[in-house]
Amino acid sequence: MSLLSFTSISQALEVRVSPELTLSQAVQKVREARQGGDNSVATILLPEGIAELTQPIVLEAKDSNLSIVGTKSTLVGAPKVTGWQLHEGKIMKADVSKLLPKGFTPRQLICDGERQILARYPNFDAKDPLYGGWAFVDDFPATGAPEGHLWKRTMYVKAQDLRKWAHPEDVEIDIFAQYGWWNFLEPVASLDAQTRLLTLKKDCGYDLHPHNRYHFQNALEELDAPGEWFYDKRAGLLYFWPEKPVDACEVRIPTLESFFKVKAGTKKVTIRGFALTGCHGTAITFDGAEDCLVERCVLTRVGDFHGSGISVSTGKNVRISHNEVSYTGSNGIGLSGGDRKTLTGTDHVAEDNHVHHMGVFNKNACGISLYGVGNIARHNHIHDGPRMGVQMSGNNLIVEYNHLHHLCLETQDGGAIYTGGRDWISSRGSKWQYNLIHDVVGCGQESDGLKHPWFTFGLYPDDNSGGLDIIGNIVYRVAHTPIHLHNSRDCVVENNIFALGGKFQFDLHGWTKEQRFYTSHIDQMIKGYESVAGQPAWKGMRGMELHPKDAIREDGTFMTGDVVRRNIMFSSEPGVKYGDLRNVSPKWNTIDENLAWANGHPITTGINKVGPDKAGAPLLSETFDAAEPGKTPKGWGFNHRPGKVNLVTTDGFLRCDCLVLKDPKNPKSVFHGPDLPVTPGAAYRVKLRIRSTEASAPVNVAIAAYAAGQGYWQSNSTSLTVTNEWQEYEATGRIPLTTEAAWKPWLKHFWLRIDCHQPSGHLDIDDVRITEAEPLNEWTSWQAEGWDKNSLVADPMFVDWQKDDFRLKPESPAFKLGFKAIPVEKIGVRE
């Protein structure tokens, strides 16, 4: 190629990159032309082939009106490693000190285009890459956590997982702490071989619980398997066990921070037609840019723990279109910016992108993130991620016509689309519409190992999020529930298909003024509301006429303004419940005109209203008058006993000490009554008097059963707020029929279960009476509570739901309810 091809024809500049002219030099040539007075539109063309980039291409306002276009062009931010020598066995080593920027420690190694495994214990399990290859935090002794245990700093390693390292100060732990919401990468301080106590250099973000999964990494001693590597920062040596002879491999170390950085004030920049691989930060960033475009690029194996594919912040009208983004260290694409007080949006758009296998290192990563005001994710295909598909917070955000699946593969309590609203004003004015969502899996950490599918959702407006329009989505095959409204407010959930949820098809879980969710967030909600109250742009925003300090209703509930209407709720298995409602009132929320179908099985709701008591003596009548004082009455005992609390008779009633600890096996005081015989399908009414030493104490009452080694069953619990005055309370429950999915052959006896949630004091109970009552149909019970009074139980007549075709046949009864056909053919990536 010639040294330079530079033209100025029809008010256009064109520079061609060649072996003699790098991309950085081409950018400089355009700048020189601009300095000479030529401000016409410029294009930099890259030829087919691979080029290494050692520094980011930084574009500023002076570089506006520029297109950088590749033609089967690949940019690599990782220099090749050469000069290999044999270390020992099949492990090779090379001096890479001259390849690395000063003070840089590599976090990735790429061999023949694939990331390799940082030396670790236990070894990566290629046959089970998500759920194999883990160690698990050991249990505490039978006495519980030691006094003064540092939950965020220390944990116990099982004997078989003890390790010895020459430099323990270099070792890291990659751990899914506490609830397993996501992982944390923390440096190790020490590991005591005698006590098996591991201590971190600093606190982890969440507590370290028994059964949390983890692996150690970054120790030469753990380099014991093909594909593993380690960098010795003291000697500048790279150690690597290649899967084939190293001379036949192309080994690279990602050292580049980013490929393109577009700075504030830059306008009308296009980046098109590149393959980008091998950087440790975010591959392409826009910060305050306007009217820019990234299209038809392939970004793969980019970013370490905090590095993503493409990030757009502030500015306006940046479009990310028709790209493939995969195997990112963290997020795929991120859009943010806008003024929330004035609701001035940025109009950034991510559309028609294929985003997959994100979050290789950071398991809190999502496919696309939307933050701020007026950003849009539409027509994208997002799949195979550890957590959310789309995660967002802000206002007037739109998520539409996306296909999302195989998400939350490594975490629990997440969703394909997620938002929160602890500030009261998020995500008002936003829309989730016409998305196709399925196979949202979830992974839980239990005492007997990892569980999947596990507790996770499809659509997840969390933590008081408000004002969403959730319209025309198809959500199916979700581990727990296709839509989980966690105290969401003022949301319209209409014309959706929610199907094949593992536990429910939808749920509304509200807060009360006693719950920690409310008490810990109310100040933040007030601050958020008052930050925009009175702003002209917020006038007319749904639900904003109510100040959060006035939002608790007279019945103690908090969840208000949700409308769940003209949806199809479908389950194929008997016993999977229609919906789940907690602390939500039909006075303030609407669920109606829906179509319910359980594939011909009875609709189950978990609501078992009962008629009058049946004739005959009660199953249990206990006044505790004859019980020996200071002793636990016969048949009564603890389910969970934190510390040394007692359950004894005193002054003719039963007293339970209350205590709340962080011990996951015994977090609070839970006790039970005597065994009572099970009658399948029987309904029971529980009456009892309760008081507390506290002015207000949350208590749950249920009937339950347990058989060692076989399982546990419990009815829906009744939530009570107990005062320091004796009051009579009532709860009901029903034993499953033998034909219902919840029935277990070992159900021979049941007992009364009482959960004490207060951290101190005592709970007193007396005059316990359990009688058998007339059961009611669960759908009838549901309607009697004030829900779905105008809804139908009927076959929705899908075209072929067993083949994932949820289109409706013309004669579907859903249309009689006003349901409108969902435009499935428009969902997903467009050409």
Side-chain angles (χ1 to χ4, degrees):
M1 293 185 180
S2 62
L3 177 65
L4 173 66
S5 174
F6 183 92
T7 60
S8 179
I9 302 173
S10 301
Q11 299 300 308
L13 295 173
E14 184 178 285
V15 180
R16 293 182 181 273
V17 172
S18 71
E20 293 80 20
L21 186 75
T22 67
L23 177 55
S24 296
Q25 291 169 338
V27 172
Q28 185 58 36
K29 289 292 182 182
V30 173
R31 288 174 176 169
E32 290 170 2
R34 298 277 171 79
Q35 290 171 356
D38 190 342
N39 292 316
S40 57
V41 175
T43 301
I44 297 175
L45 298 175
L46 276 75
E48 181 177 347
I50 299 173
E52 288 186 15
L53 204 60
T54 59
Q55 294 293 328
I57 301 300
V58 179
L59 302 177
E60 301 173 349
K62 61 186 177 183
D63 302 308
S64 298
N65 298 303
L66 172 65
S67 293
I68 304 177
V69 181
T71 305
K72 296 183 180 180
S73 308
T74 298
L75 296 180
V76 179
K80 289 182 182 179
V81 179
T82 58
W84 292 101
Q85 297 178 346
L86 180 65
H87 172 59
E88 63 179 30
K90 296 184 178 181
I91 301 174
M92 307 299 293
K93 65 181 178 180
D95 186 340
V96 295
S97 57
K98 294 181 180 179
L99 293 179
L100 306 181
K102 186 177 181 180
F104 179 79
T105 300
R107 303 295 304 177
Q108 306 169 78
L109 188 72
I110 295 177
C111 179
D112 292 338
E114 298 289 338
R115 281 197 187 96
Q116 303 302 290
I117 306 298
L118 182 59
R120 55 175 278 180
Y121 172 86
N123 286 336
F124 175 75
D125 185 351
K127 294 181 179 179
D128 191 7
L130 299 183
Y131 311 121
W134 295 102
F136 296 86
V137 178
D138 200 7
D139 271 321
F140 293 116
T143 53
E147 185 176 353
H149 180 73
L150 301 175
W151 287 85
K152 287 182 168 60
R153 185 69 67 95
T154 59
M155 64 178 229
Y156 288 92
V157 172
K158 293 181 179 180
Q160 66 266 29
D161 297 321
L162 278 171
R163 316 301 295 164
K164 186 176 181 180
W165 307 296
H167 294 286
E169 68 277 10
D170 293 343
V171 177
E172 301 165 337
I173 185 172
D174 188 345
I175 185 167
F176 285 78
Q178 198 158 339
Y179 308 109
W181 285 340
W182 54 78
N183 66 324
F184 295 84
L185 194 61
E186 301 291 355
V188 170
S190 63
L191 176 55
D192 190 308
Q194 299 301 316
T195 64
R196 296 185 283 109
L197 183 70
L198 177 85
T199 303
L200 303 181
K201 289 183 181 178
K202 60 185 181 67
D203 284 354
C204 185
Y206 285 116
D207 292 350
L208 310 176
H209 279 186
H211 318 304
N212 286 164
R213 68 191 189 274
Y214 72 92
H215 68 254
F216 296 119
Q217 65 181 32
N218 201 43
L220 181 58
E221 292 87 349
E222 307 301 355
L223 206 170
D224 59 358
E228 290 191 338
W229 67 277
F230 171 76
Y231 172 67
D232 183 346
K233 63 184 180 182
R234 295 167 181 81
L237 293 176
L238 174 69
Y239 296 86
F240 178 43
W241 183 340
E243 296 190 17
K244 62 183 181 181
V246 73
D247 292 340
C249 301
E250 181 183 86
V251 181
R252 293 179 177 270
I253 301 178
T255 58
L256 183 69
E257 179 191 0
S258 301
F259 290 94
F260 296 98
K261 289 186 170 186
V262 185
K263 296 294 188 178
T266 311
K267 299 181 180 181
K268 297 182 180 180
V269 163
T270 295
I271 300 169
R272 178 189 296 120
F274 288 98
L276 307 177
T277 189
C279 67
H280 63 84
T282 297
I284 303 175
T285 65
F286 293 87
D287 185 6
E290 299 181 13
D291 301 316
C292 294
L293 171 66
V294 178
E295 69 174 353
R296 302 198 181 277
C297 291
V298 176
L299 291 76
T300 188
R301 280 85 180 173
V302 295
D304 58 21
F305 195 91
H306 299 290
S308 300
I310 303 171
S311 173
V312 181
S313 61
T314 65
K316 65 181 181 181
N317 193 33
V318 175
R319 188 158 58 96
I320 312 300
S321 178
H322 288 92
N323 303 284
E324 182 177 2
V325 181
S326 65
Y327 297 97
T328 52
S330 188
N331 294 337
I333 298 170
L335 308 179
S336 65
D339 188 326
R340 297 186 71 187
K341 284 190 176 182
T342 64
L343 293 180
T344 302
T346 58
D347 298 319
H348 298 320
V349 179
E351 61 183 3
D352 299 296
N353 300 287
H354 184 194
V355 183
H356 60 99
H357 295 90
M358 52 281 185
V360 172
F361 303 119
N362 184 349
K363 303 307 177 181
N364 195 26
C366 63
I368 297 177
S369 66
L370 303 179
Y371 292 94
V373 182
N375 298 310
I376 303 172
R378 63 190 177 204
H379 290 287
N380 300 287
H381 184 193
I382 304 172
H383 63 93
D384 285 275
R387 197 152 174 77
M388 321 300 187
V390 176
Q391 185 161 352
M392 55 174 266
S393 182
N395 302 101
N396 298 341
L397 305 170
I398 298 177
V399 184
E400 62 183 6
Y401 296 102
N402 301 285
H403 182 191
L404 305 101
H405 62 95
H406 291 91
L407 296 163
C408 296
L409 293 177
E410 301 175 66
T411 60
Q412 67 158 323
D413 194 12
I417 306 177
Y418 176 94
T419 190
R422 295 180 180 181
D423 62 358
W424 187 270
I425 60 176
S426 298
S427 286
R428 297 179 182 273
S430 300
K431 300 179 186 296
W432 298 350
Q433 55 192 15
Y434 308 115
N435 298 285
L436 177 63
I437 297 168
H438 58 93
D439 295 291
V440 188
V441 178
C443 177
Q445 306 176 128
E446 300 298 297
S447 59
D448 55 345
L450 301 184
K451 303 294 184 181
H452 49 88
W454 198 248
F455 180 67
T456 198
F457 311 100
L459 301 172
Y460 195 168
D462 192 15
D463 281 354
N464 202 57
S465 52
L468 281 160
D469 286 348
I470 302 174
I471 310 293
N473 302 282
I474 301 174
V475 189
Y476 63 95
R477 239 180 359 255
V478 176
H480 200 275
T481 313
I483 182 169
H484 174 54
L485 295 103
H486 185 204
N487 201 68
S488 59
R489 309 172 57 82
D490 310 308
C491 291
V492 174
V493 181
E494 190 170 280
N495 211 88
N496 303 278
I497 296 173
F498 300 129
L500 306 179
K503 299 296 183 182
F504 310 94
Q505 307 318 316
F506 73 101
D507 63 48
L508 286 78
H509 291 182
W511 298 348
T512 65
K513 62 182 180 181
E514 291 84 14
Q515 285 182 326
R516 62 178 177 84
F517 295 114
Y518 173 79
T519 57
S520 62
H521 299 329
I522 184 59
D523 290 343
Q524 186 178 354
M525 289 187 280
I526 290 172
K527 181 179 179 181
Y529 176 85
E530 293 181 348
S531 71
V532 299
Q535 293 289 329
W538 283 83
K539 290 183 178 179
M541 182 73 83
R542 189 166 65 226
M544 285 297 290
E545 71 279 359
L546 183 65
H547 196 293
K549 65 181 178 59
D550 303 319
I552 295 291
R553 302 299 184 177
E554 68 273 10
D555 60 1
T557 63
F558 190 57
M559 196 171 186
T560 297
D562 291 310
V563 177
V564 181
R565 180 174 54 206
R566 290 195 288 275
N567 303 282
I568 297 174
M569 318 291 191
F570 170 71
S571 63
S572 64
E573 300 294 331
V576 176
K577 292 184 176 63
Y578 171 73
D580 184 35
L581 305 180
R582 304 180 189 178
N583 301 317
V584 57
S585 168
K587 183 176 181 180
W588 306 108
N589 302 273
T590 299
I591 302 174
D592 207 1
E593 301 176 85
N594 299 294
L595 190 150
W597 187 241
N599 213 24
H601 304 290
I603 301 294
T604 57
T605 63
I607 295 180
N608 295 288
K609 296 183 77 68
V610 301
D613 289 353
K614 288 187 173 182
L619 278 75
L620 177 68
S621 181
E622 178 63 81
T623 63
F624 303 104
D625 292 336
E628 183 178 355
K631 301 290 185 180
T632 302
K634 183 178 180 181
W636 293 82
F638 280 105
N639 299 74
H640 298 287
R641 186 182 186 186
K644 297 181 179 180
V645 298
N646 292 310
L647 179 71
V648 297
T649 304
T650 179
D651 297 327
F653 54 81
L654 183 64
R655 167 165 287 179
C656 178
D657 298 331
C658 297
L659 184 62
V660 174
L661 298 177
K662 289 187 175 181
D663 183 349
K665 285 193 170 183
N666 292 288
K668 64 190 176 201
S669 299
V670 180
F671 61 96
H672 65 82
D675 285 350
L676 301 171
V678 159
T679 300
Y684 299 99
R685 175 177 284 110
V686 179
K687 289 188 175 181
L688 70 169
R689 293 196 308 132
I690 314 179
R691 72 176 179 184
S692 170
T693 52
E694 310 300 311
S696 178
V699 173
N700 283 81
V701 177
I703 60 173
Y706 172 75
Q710 298 185 76
Y712 176 80
W713 170 86
Q714 180 183 308
S715 70
N716 276 5
S717 63
T718 300
S719 298
L720 310 176
T721 301
V722 177
T723 70
N724 49 22
E725 299 289 335
W726 283 108
Q727 294 185 62
E728 185 176 72
Y729 298 89
E730 180 176 308
T732 58
R734 183 176 68 84
I735 303 295
L737 291 164
T738 56
T739 56
E740 293 178 326
W743 171 260
K744 305 298 179 186
W746 51 262
L747 273 171
K748 306 297 182 184
H749 298 89
F750 76 94
W751 24 259
L752 174 66
R753 170 178 169 144
I754 300 177
D755 289 52
C756 313
H757 299 282
Q758 66 190 62
S760 60
H762 309 290
L763 190 71
D764 300 332
I765 72 167
D766 201 0
D767 298 329
V768 180
R769 180 183 175 90
I770 301 179
T771 54
E772 186 174 353
E774 296 288 348
L776 294 180
N777 173 283
E778 289 195 20
W779 180 252
T780 303
S781 297
W782 176 271
Q783 291 180 311
E785 289 283 293
W787 310 111
D788 279 305
K789 291 187 176 181
N790 299 293
S791 296
L792 294 179
V793 176
D795 186 346
M797 304 183 71
F798 298 121
V799 170
D800 192 346
W801 67 267
Q802 291 178 312
K803 293 183 179 179
D804 297 347
D805 190 342
F806 287 90
R807 293 175 299 164
L808 298 178
K809 296 177 181 178
E811 60 270 30
S812 170
F815 295 127
K816 296 178 182 179
L817 292 169
F819 190 91
K820 296 179 181 179
I822 297 171
V824 179
E825 70 282 357
K826 295 182 180 180
I827 296 174
V829 174
R830 301 164 295 187
E831 293 298 326

